[in-house]
Amino acid sequence: MKNMIFLGPPGSGKGTQAVKLAEKIGVIHLSTGDLLRTAVKEGTDLGKQAKEYMEKGELVPDHLLIGLIETKVTNGYLSNGFILDGFPRTVPQAESLKKMFVKNNMNMDSAILLQVSDEEVVRRLSGRWFCPTCQRTYNHPSNMPKNEGVCDDDGAKLQRRPDDEESVVRNRLEVYKKQTQPIEEFYRNESILIEVTGEQAPTAVFEDLLKVVNK
Ligand code: ADP
Ligand code: ADP
């Protein structure tokens, strides 16, 4: 299994697990959240269009994300296997992805859903710190860097995400339920939805993911 989507509410551990799993099995990790944050930081056209939605915890319009992913599919960037993290996030995005795949003779092996409760999401995101250089994620108090406030890998100063403020997190959870959860049904109908308990230690989640991937 090498073509996967990671699904799950904000804070369910998609990024944490996708980085490790992609490295372990040698596939590309593509996070639309990371791509968008870079675009905002660099002030590109995409970044300018995405910024205000992201700050409010709303979804960036479908056509922008679909265009972004279509470029990656058509230029062969995903052809040796991938984990899509944060895309698709709406039914129209899932439908467009399916069409892109048919057109490019690609297939999706699985959509892996990380299940985590709302309270755990709020707890995790209020403690999330990330490295702006390598995107690695830390957590206060469960997963701290060796030296306070700096990334273990490259020494960059860790940052908080503005959209991890609690009122924005609550909105992102609502947005997830309204706009993203329906795609669980989409992939259940395609018979590729696999559910994994996200609310356990990161190493236990990783073991469960490896079992799924090696099946
Ligand atoms: P997502 O990409 O789904 O938004 P992240 O992987 O960024 O989620 O994780 C959100 C926060 O929760 C981070 O601070 C991360 O360190 C922490 N975290 C991730 N997995 C776990 C876990 N299994 N148990 C506790 N905290 C976790
Ligand atoms: P999360 O921690 O919620 O998983 P991400 O880093 O994946 O966060 O995404 C951060 C923000 O980027 C989202 O709240 C949304 O504004 C925007 N975004 C990311 N991916 C998409 C997408 N596929 N469609 C629309 N907006 C997106």
Side-chain angles (χ1 to χ4, degrees):
M1 187 176 296
K2 61 187 186 69
N3 292 348
M4 284 164 269
I5 292 168
F6 271 17
L7 273 176
S12 54
K14 300 180 298 295
T16 303
Q17 298 294 337
V19 167
K20 281 181 65 185
L21 188 62
E23 193 185 13
K24 174 96 181 172
I25 64 174
V27 298
I28 294 275
H29 167 220
L30 189 72
S31 155
T32 46
D34 289 347
L35 287 178
L36 290 170
R37 277 183 291 279
T38 304
V40 170
K41 202 162 86 184
E42 290 174 352
T44 65
D45 278 349
L46 173 67
K48 284 185 195 136
Q49 294 178 80
K51 190 169 188 274
E52 61 176 293
Y53 296 99
M54 295 174 75
E55 281 170 353
K56 287 188 251 165
E58 303 288 332
L59 294 184
V60 175
D62 281 339
H63 71 274
L64 294 175
L65 271 296
I66 291 168
L68 190 68
I69 296 294
E70 188 154 30
T71 312
K72 305 275 180 195
V73 170
T74 48
N75 73 12
Y77 182 71
L78 302 177
S79 54
N80 289 324
F82 59 81
I83 299 173
L84 281 186
D85 163 9
F87 186 94
R89 243 184 172 91
T90 62
V91 171
Q93 290 181 16
E95 284 166 346
S96 301
L97 185 67
K98 191 174 171 185
K99 283 196 200 118
M100 284 177 222
F101 273 31
V102 169
K103 209 162 124 193
N104 289 275
N105 286 318
M106 288 169 67
N107 72 299
M108 189 66 71
D109 296 320
S110 64
I112 299 178
L113 172 63
L114 293 176
Q115 297 275 22
V116 168
S117 65
D118 289 5
E119 307 82 80
E120 177 68 5
V121 162
V122 174
R123 202 165 27 241
R124 285 185 188 179
L125 296 189
S126 65
R128 172 156 70 182
W129 290 81
F130 80 102
C131 170
T133 306
C134 72
Q135 315 300 333
R136 182 167 165 182
T137 298
Y138 296 87
N139 196 276
H140 180 89
S142 67
N143 174 22
M144 304 275 277
K146 288 192 187 81
N147 297 309
E148 202 185 325
V150 295
C151 180
D152 290 347
D153 292 338
D154 50 38
K157 194 167 179 288
L158 300 180
Q159 293 181 3
R160 298 263 306 137
R161 273 170 54 173
D163 60 345
D164 280 346
E165 198 256 308
E166 184 168 340
S167 62
V168 184
V169 169
R170 299 256 174 220
N171 189 39
R172 284 160 65 204
L173 273 169
E174 288 308 307
V175 167
Y176 181 82
K177 283 174 196 163
K178 277 206 203 94
Q179 294 179 262
T180 306
Q181 219 153 25
I183 68 177
E184 293 173 13
E185 203 50 37
F186 180 93
Y187 288 115
R188 199 171 279 123
N189 290 335
E190 303 258 305
S191 306
I192 59 169
L193 188 78
I194 298 173
E195 298 181 45
V196 168
T197 306
E199 210 160 326
Q200 42 179 348
T203 48
V205 178
F206 191 64
E207 276 170 29
D208 285 356
L209 288 172
L210 281 180
K211 279 183 212 147
V212 166
V213 169
N214 291 326
K215 241 185 205 155

